[in-house]
Amino acid sequence: MRWLSRSYLALVYLLLYVPIVVLIVFSFNDSRTGFNWGGFSLRWYESLFNNHAMVQAMWNSLWLALTAATVSTCIGALTALALHRYRFRGKKVLNGMLFVVMMSPEIVLAISLLGLFLLLGLKLGYVSLLLAHVTFCLPFVVITVMARLSGFDERLPEAARDLGASDFTMTRTVLIPVIMPALMAGWLLGFTLSMDDVVVSTFVSGPSYEILPLRIYSMVRVGLKPEVNALGTLLLVFSLVMLMLSQWILSRSKQ
Amino acid sequence: MTETLLSLSGISKQFDDKTVLDELSLTIDDGEFITLLGPSGCGKTTLLRMMAGFELPDQGTVTLSGVDITQTPPEKRPLNTVFQNYALFPHMSVFDNVAYGLKMEKRPKAEIQERVEEALAMVQLEDFAKRKPHQLSGGQQQRVAIARAVVKRPKMLLLDEPLSALDYKLRRTMQVELKRLQRELGITFVFVTHDQEEALSMSDRIVVLKDGRIQQLGTPREVYERPANVFTARFVGQTNFFPGRVTKIEGERISVDVFGLNRDLSKPSFRVALNQSLHVLLRPEDIRVLAPDDTEGVAGKIVERNYKGSTLDSVIELEDGSHVMASEFFDEDDPAFDYSIGERVRVSWVDGWEWLLAEEGDEPLTDEEELAADDAEH
């Protein structure tokens, strides 16, 4: 029995990690065709960095993810605070609408955003991408921050006021530091969502601002180049670093 | 010495059509330890929050040292609060928690350092300044909360059930400590609790609250020995309610028939008429349990006995089915002193130890209801 459960676990992890391991291994493969090992080489990394369009798309994606995550964290945190702190008409509707955005198929959001941008006469590019990305990141941020706020001791702001802090000082010195881990988590979530979004981005991006997922997508359409393996490995390392960073921040805030 | 510090007059407050405070007026003297006592939902916490400034009254005014502070926000009131679950800032060290109020006053660094150390020394937490709140035990967190509130030297300290989260033994220690602090600091303490024992042992005066109204205001001794009404008598300590009937009124003395015994008592402060029914109140410790062949008292039998260490608490069922609680100290001359269930005894009390109350609309609870109320408390 024990042997069975162990091998089952091994199988699950094998299925999870084999593709990733293959990707990493073949990114260092000297051979052009993906199936035979031609020795260790960094040539695909080299050619990746010599591909100017690719590097540009990478920077574009990073910048977009950075700004989209930041903007949606700011708006999302304020929305979560409002929903948590105040009682007002339409609060439930507003709360429910967040879930609608989160649950609705991405393609619906993509089409409606494209329709809206065309109607407004907005040129497709960085601005349209940013607006779209903020839109789909927002509910995730709001929900992350709200979850933290629901466990927030209502007496903390009162204690701060009682000790002489104005509402603004209280927010700065007590509220924000306490919900900081949630803000970080929300930001990272937004960043990741923005970084690998394909569907919405396909609809609302223009030739002036090419981003990484779309670039990769168009690359693999004409055949799988080993450069993509190298790119995938880099992205993987980047995500791991981000993940460890967020874990480190979380564990530090708990101390 | 007994100068009025805070006065509340005609305070009313409603939450969603539910009246929480009903035209309540109260004055608090400078330097006293006053306790707001009542069951949950009686309005005691709302009243405290109104003093702190977290709730605004619908009607009425709050004045502090003669200045109207009804609309003053909490950060501008020279009062500080110790919250029920301490509400320590989790991201700050103990030192920073205590220093918070002084930083808000923009005090110089050296002064903050000195005063925080002094406050921490006062609650015996000098060595814990660098810890975070979650690294402290409940009792230590409690001390930090107190240090944080008193470091600003407020005119008044508001304590919202501060000991309710602590275990029994620690609670006793903290009760003594709070009393000591109050004496040393000379600050007025307003203490909210639902624990009548705590209220009795700590307060200079007790305010008994129910349904947003003051039921009684007096010293612990007055509240315990001379309860103003049935509610107070029932809420503060345990009480036997004996049904009495006035059989004779003569000057300052009246005769009352209790369980067929004719007792000669002094006239109560309320008006009495011949044949009027009234409550004769006796605390369990005022009851005398006598031998079955005694000529005095009412016959009954022991139905329950509880060994409490220093006392022996028993319940005696009288012939008419009513129950009497008795609590007796152990007699050093009789180490074998005990009862067995079913043992026949007689119940009596010393004249003058009873307290008379007029009958009210709400009749005394039955035993079952009483037990249910007891359970709810624990």
Side-chain angles (χ1 to χ4, degrees):
Chain A
M1 257 341 262
R2 195 162 153 185
W3 176 84
L4 199 72
S5 69
R6 285 232 173 137
S7 45
Y8 174 72
L9 193 69
L11 187 73
V12 169
Y13 272 81
L14 202 70
L15 285 172
L16 272 175
Y17 283 97
V18 158
I20 296 173
V21 172
V22 167
L23 178 105
I24 296 171
V25 168
F26 279 96
S27 75
F28 297 109
N29 187 0
D30 199 29
S31 158
R32 173 159 281 278
T33 51
F35 300 110
N36 38 17
W37 182 249
F40 181 83
S41 145
L42 287 174
R43 63 184 276 211
W44 305 118
Y45 289 89
E46 207 184 316
S47 85
L48 185 69
F49 284 107
N50 285 331
N51 185 338
H52 179 72
M54 187 67 107
V55 173
Q56 184 59 46
M58 199 143 66
W59 284 124
N60 281 350
S61 254
L62 274 175
W63 177 245
L64 175 66
L66 212 77
T67 46
T70 308
V71 171
S72 53
T73 303
C74 292
I75 302 175
L78 291 175
T79 312
L81 275 177
L83 286 173
H84 177 75
R85 256 176 100 167
Y86 303 109
R87 287 203 291 178
F88 51 88
R89 271 170 67 111
K91 179 174 164 171
K92 278 195 174 146
V93 179
L94 210 65
N95 211 345
M97 274 162 68
L98 282 172
F99 283 93
V100 172
V101 174
M102 209 163 81
M103 310 275 273
S104 64
E106 225 184 326
I107 190 83
V108 174
L109 186 70
I111 295 168
S112 54
L113 279 171
L114 179 64
L116 180 71
F117 292 154
L118 291 179
L119 198 72
L120 292 173
L122 191 75
K123 204 167 151 281
L124 296 180
Y126 171 68
V127 177
S128 64
L129 273 168
L130 179 67
L131 288 173
H133 281 214
V134 168
T135 307
F136 68 70
C137 288
L138 199 58
F140 291 95
V141 176
V142 174
I143 283 155
T144 316
V145 177
M146 286 241 286
R148 175 79 180 189
L149 281 173
S150 71
F152 182 73
D153 182 359
E154 282 313 309
R155 299 282 174 259
L156 289 183
E158 287 185 350
R161 299 285 302 275
D162 190 67
L163 292 165
S166 64
D167 211 23
F168 177 75
T169 313
M170 180 280 292
T171 307
R172 189 172 56 82
T173 56
V174 174
L175 187 61
I176 292 178
V178 172
I179 64 168
M180 202 44 156
L183 295 181
M184 295 274 192
W187 189 90
L188 279 171
L189 198 62
F191 187 87
T192 335
L193 284 171
S194 166
M195 207 52 192
D196 68 8
D197 176 73
V198 176
V199 181
V200 173
S201 303
T202 317
F203 280 72
V204 298
S205 73
S208 65
Y209 202 82
E210 199 181 23
I211 56 171
L212 200 59
L214 296 188
R215 177 80 207 165
I216 297 171
Y217 190 61
S218 62
M219 263 171 76
V220 295
R221 262 202 307 218
V222 291
L224 198 66
K225 281 190 192 163
E227 275 174 29
V228 175
N229 290 336
L231 184 62
T233 307
L234 285 180
L235 283 175
L236 190 73
V237 170
F238 180 73
S239 331
L240 278 176
V241 169
M242 293 285 274
L243 190 74
M244 286 195 290
L245 199 71
S246 67
Q247 289 299 315
W248 182 69
I249 291 168
L250 271 177
S251 70
R252 238 175 55 118
S253 74
K254 274 193 194 125
Q255 275 166 21
Chain B
M1 184 61 209
T2 53
E3 212 171 295
T4 298
L5 180 61
L6 186 100
S7 79
L8 303 151
S9 58
I11 300 283
S12 290
K13 179 76 183 177
Q14 296 203 323
F15 287 127
D16 303 325
D17 298 333
K18 189 183 172 289
T19 303
V20 183
L21 294 173
D22 194 5
E23 300 230 353
L24 187 145
S25 296
L26 173 68
T27 58
I28 295 171
D29 295 335
D30 199 7
E32 74 171 327
F33 193 123
I34 190 165
T35 298
L36 309 178
L37 175 69
S40 49
C42 71
K44 57 189 191 298
T45 295
T46 308
L47 194 61
L48 193 83
R49 289 172 59 79
M50 217 164 259
M51 295 179 197
F54 297 125
E55 305 284 353
L56 294 180
D58 296 336
Q59 268 170 47
T61 52
V62 184
T63 48
L64 182 75
S65 314
V67 183
D68 187 335
I69 56 159
T70 314
Q71 302 293 327
T72 311
E75 62 266 32
K76 300 233 164 68
R77 296 188 184 198
L79 321 169
N80 288 113
T81 310
V82 176
F83 291 87
Q84 188 168 8
N85 294 317
Y86 323 137
L88 298 179
F89 306 128
H91 58 294
M92 294 183 197
S93 66
V94 167
F95 184 93
D96 289 335
N97 262 284
V98 179
Y100 192 86
L102 297 175
K103 282 182 188 158
M104 291 301 124
E105 286 179 356
K106 304 214 161 40
R107 298 274 172 189
K109 260 216 162 88
E111 187 193 335
I112 292 178
Q113 180 78 29
E114 192 190 316
R115 281 173 67 178
V116 170
E117 276 169 9
E118 191 189 329
L120 284 175
M122 202 171 55
V123 293
Q124 289 130 40
L125 282 177
E126 306 94 315
D127 304 333
F128 294 84
K130 288 201 175 66
R131 301 258 188 114
K132 285 280 179 72
H134 73 96
Q135 294 169 311
L136 301 179
S137 70
Q140 290 168 334
Q141 291 185 24
Q142 173 69 80
R143 286 158 201 264
V144 177
I146 293 168
R148 185 177 69 173
V150 299
V151 76
K152 289 190 78 174
R153 297 173 192 153
K155 289 192 171 174
M156 201 163 153
L157 194 65
L158 309 172
L159 302 108
D160 185 8
E161 305 213 17
L163 309 181
S164 60
L166 303 177
D167 64 54
Y168 182 76
K169 217 168 169 190
L170 200 53
R171 213 155 79 198
R172 303 296 305 206
T173 321
M174 284 308 294
Q175 285 174 8
V176 175
E177 201 142 316
L178 274 176
K179 267 310 267 187
R180 174 184 66 85
L181 265 178
Q182 197 247 347
R183 265 197 311 272
E184 279 174 14
L185 296 166
I187 299 175
T188 308
F189 274 36
V190 182
F191 188 89
V192 163
T193 186
H194 62 265
D195 182 339
Q196 41 94 13
E197 207 179 312
E198 201 165 272
L200 290 173
S201 65
M202 297 176 77
S203 327
D204 294 324
R205 288 198 300 162
I206 296 176
V207 183
V208 183
L209 281 167
K210 184 197 162 207
D211 300 334
R213 289 166 181 269
I214 294 179
Q215 302 294 313
Q216 187 166 6
L217 171 60
T219 62
R221 182 173 277 255
E222 279 165 2
V223 169
Y224 188 77
E225 292 182 359
R226 294 188 298 249
N229 53 31
V230 173
F231 171 79
T232 308
R234 197 169 285 290
F235 191 74
V236 182
Q238 286 186 305
T239 310
N240 292 301
F241 282 80
F242 294 159
R245 194 171 53 81
V246 182
T247 54
K248 196 167 78 183
I249 305 175
E250 223 176 60
E252 285 310 297
R253 308 293 296 174
I254 57 169
S255 288
V256 177
D257 173 83
V258 188
F259 298 127
L261 303 173
N262 219 24
R263 289 297 192 131
D264 185 34
L265 312 171
S266 61
K267 203 171 159 183
S269 55
F270 56 90
R271 285 172 58 89
V272 284
L274 214 57
N275 279 327
Q276 183 192 339
S277 297
L278 37 72
H279 295 298
V280 179
L281 270 61
L282 281 156
R283 298 290 182 186
E285 62 271 23
D286 296 339
I287 296 289
R288 290 282 160 272
V289 183
L290 308 168
D293 52 1
D294 211 294
T295 50
E296 231 196 304
V298 204
K301 65 169 196 278
I302 303 278
V303 290
E304 218 178 282
R305 61 167 287 283
N306 269 313
Y307 175 76
K308 286 276 181 70
S310 55
T311 59
L312 181 68
D313 292 1
S314 49
V315 177
I316 298 127
E317 190 179 82
L318 302 182
E319 271 152 5
D320 68 348
S322 54
H323 285 180
V324 178
M325 293 173 286
S327 174
E328 294 166 281
F329 277 99
F330 282 102
D331 186 352
E332 280 181 20
D333 298 332
D334 182 11
F337 160 67
D338 202 350
Y339 299 117
S340 53
I341 304 280
E343 193 178 327
R344 302 227 145 251
V345 289
R346 290 183 85 82
V347 170
S348 184
W349 71 91
V350 179
D351 277 337
W353 288 8
E354 73 292 309
W355 178 246
L356 299 177
L357 278 181
E359 281 198 333
E360 295 168 23
D362 48 340
E363 281 301 291
L365 303 173
T366 62
D367 283 353
E368 287 77 39
E369 282 169 324
E370 184 129 42
L371 283 174
D374 266 4
D375 284 348
E377 241 177 77
H378 298 129

